[in-house]
């Protein structure tokens, strides 16, 4: 199945998250039976990221947004296990620092946007400024409501500079979130990941869903589409996202740079000469 077609939000269409099956897993019975399919896009991504880096003319920005325990960290780990850390980076958007807060809301996003040849993942992103900021009324409506357009312009500019943008909303149900919170409570290794805030934020679930629906609807564009990824099954979420990333990279028409040197001459004049010299040296007795 073409997951890009299946999960993309067509620009201008209304999204009703409540109507989207978060437990969708396509034709796959289980994680075990899907394993071969999960492996394939990882191998494609590894090759394509090498090409993106070598080509050096374009870049990829992956935006991850979700409610707490939605699986952003898991996606970072899985999808990017395929890529070479050289040329790949992740940036997590926390509450703005004092310096960040003195600038416009897009400043910190622009600062971390990928340079040519790079892949960057935003774990949370500039979208927090129309999500948490809206839900908690951190700025007046007149301020956040203008941000959708600013985001579209910003992403368009990055696009024109050679950056492909993929935005993923990891869609889980409330029940799945609670089950994941419980796993955190039950596992001492994950205690650091849970806090009262997670439960307090959960109370605001309908407000967050409304804010997400608006954001996705107003900012899903041809050059920077949103994908709503069914994420109750972690393995299916990983499979869908890695296929979308691999398909997108494939479409970018990446090419190895044309060789600027004369390979035949380097082989003849330098390499063979170096080999001969090494041979000679290995025959020369070592002086003690
Ligand atoms: P995560 O939940 O993403 O795995 P975390 O729980 O490890 O991260 P936190 O510091 O709790 O780390 O998460 C970042 C917090 O910063 C989130 O609650 C997020 O909503 C908040 N945040 C991010 N950007 C902004 C912003 N622009 N304004 C206010 N709060 C923000
Ligand atoms: Mg958190």
């Amino acid at each position: 199945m073409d997951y890009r077609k299946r999960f993309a939000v067509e620009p201008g269409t209304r999204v009703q998250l409540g109507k989207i099956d978060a437990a969708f897993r396509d034709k796959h019975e289980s994680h075990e039976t899907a394993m071969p399919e999960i492996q394939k896009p990882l191998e494609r991504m590894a090759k394509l990221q090498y090409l993106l880096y070598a080509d050096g003319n374009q870049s990829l920005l992956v935006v991850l947004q979700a409610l707490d325990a939605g699986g952003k960290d898991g996606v970072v780990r899985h999808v990017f296990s395929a890529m070479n850390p050289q040329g790949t980076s992740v940036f997590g958007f926390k509450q703005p620092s004092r310096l960040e807060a003195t600038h416009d809301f897009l400043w910190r996003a622009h600062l971390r946007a990928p340079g040519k040849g790079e892949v960057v993942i935003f774990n949370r992103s500039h979208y927090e400024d129309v999500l948490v900021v809206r839900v908690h009324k951190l700025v007046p409506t007149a301020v956040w409501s203008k941000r959708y357009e600013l985001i579209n312009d910003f992403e368009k500019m990055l696009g024109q500079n050679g950056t492909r943008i993929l935005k993923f909303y990891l869609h889980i149900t409330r029940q799945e979130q609670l089950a994941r919170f419980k796993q955190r409570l039950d596992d001492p290794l994950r205690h650091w990941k849970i806090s009262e805030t997670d439960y307090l934020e959960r109370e605001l679930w309908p407000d967050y869903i409304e804010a997400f629906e608006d954001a996705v609807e107003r900012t899903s564009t041809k050059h920077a589409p949103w994908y709503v990824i069914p994420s109750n099954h972690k393995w299916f979420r990983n499979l869908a996202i890695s296929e979308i990333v691999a398909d997108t990279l494939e479409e970018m028409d990446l090419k190895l740079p044309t060789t600027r040197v004369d390979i035949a001459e380097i082989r003849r004049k330098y390499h063979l000469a170096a080999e001969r010299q090494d041979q000679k040296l290995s025959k020369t007795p070592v002086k003690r």
Side-chain angles (χ1 to χ4, degrees), residues 5-213:
K5 275 215 184 94
R6 181 75 167 72
F7 300 130
V9 174
E10 281 304 311
T13 53
R14 185 82 195 119
V15 180
Q16 286 179 290
L17 292 172
K19 294 200 174 154
I20 299 176
D21 179 11
F24 181 76
R25 52 185 170 157
D26 201 2
K27 57 186 184 214
H28 302 291
E29 288 281 315
S30 66
H31 187 183
E32 284 65 37
T33 60
M35 270 311 238
E37 293 299 311
I38 293 173
Q39 204 48 37
K40 280 184 208 161
L42 292 179
E43 286 160 16
R44 281 162 65 211
M45 270 194 299
K47 290 193 184 119
L48 289 160
Q49 188 246 334
Y50 177 79
L51 264 187
L52 180 83
Y53 189 77
D55 180 311
N57 284 306
Q58 301 182 67
S59 58
L60 180 71
L61 174 61
V62 175
V63 169
L64 300 178
Q65 287 287 166
L67 284 151
D68 288 308
K72 302 186 302 300
D73 294 343
V75 172
V76 171
R77 271 200 311 277
H78 175 81
V79 174
F80 295 90
S81 64
M83 296 191 177
N84 185 342
Q86 175 102 359
T88 311
S89 59
V90 184
F91 183 72
F93 285 69
K94 307 285 179 188
Q95 283 190 20
S97 68
R98 276 174 68 177
L99 174 65
E100 287 168 347
T102 64
H103 290 270
D104 66 87
F105 80 102
L106 290 169
W107 181 77
R108 63 176 179 162
H110 203 171
L111 206 60
R112 270 84 186 204
K116 293 198 190 301
E118 293 174 354
V119 177
V120 170
I121 312 161
F122 282 177
N123 186 345
R124 299 183 188 267
S125 65
H126 45 295
Y127 283 94
E128 290 294 319
D129 290 275
V130 289
L131 295 167
V132 66
V133 167
R134 166 175 167 171
V135 169
H136 286 279
K137 302 185 171 60
L138 302 180
V139 299
T141 308
V143 174
W144 63 254
S145 61
K146 293 195 184 79
R147 289 182 171 168
Y148 303 100
E149 217 182 309
L150 297 170
I151 289 175
N152 286 338
D153 288 345
F154 168 63
E155 292 179 353
K156 197 169 170 188
M157 178 187 63
L158 295 185
Q160 286 180 6
N161 199 44
T163 303
R164 283 294 287 255
I165 306 175
L166 297 174
K167 303 180 294 201
F168 296 106
Y169 170 68
L170 314 181
H171 178 46
I172 56 166
T173 52
R174 273 185 92 139
Q175 294 86 332
E176 178 63 21
Q177 186 194 51
L178 199 58
R180 292 185 186 181
F181 283 177
K182 178 149 190 312
Q183 285 169 358
R184 292 178 181 184
L185 291 177
D186 292 345
D187 178 359
L189 290 178
R190 295 194 233 185
H191 282 172
W192 66 275
K193 269 197 157 194
I194 192 98
S195 70
E196 296 92 331
T197 326
D198 291 317
Y199 288 90
L200 297 173
E201 288 295 274
R202 182 182 158 78
E203 297 288 308
L204 301 169
W205 186 281
D207 298 350
Y208 270 108
I209 293 298
E210 195 187 354
F212 268 115
E213 286 176 343

Side-chain angles (χ1 to χ4, degrees), residues 261-278:
V261 292
D262 183 341
I263 296 290
E265 189 186 56
I266 290 182
R267 190 192 303 278
R268 185 174 49 77
K269 195 167 158 190
Y270 297 96
H271 189 82
L272 294 180
E275 276 184 356
R276 274 196 296 273
Q277 199 178 14
D278 268 14

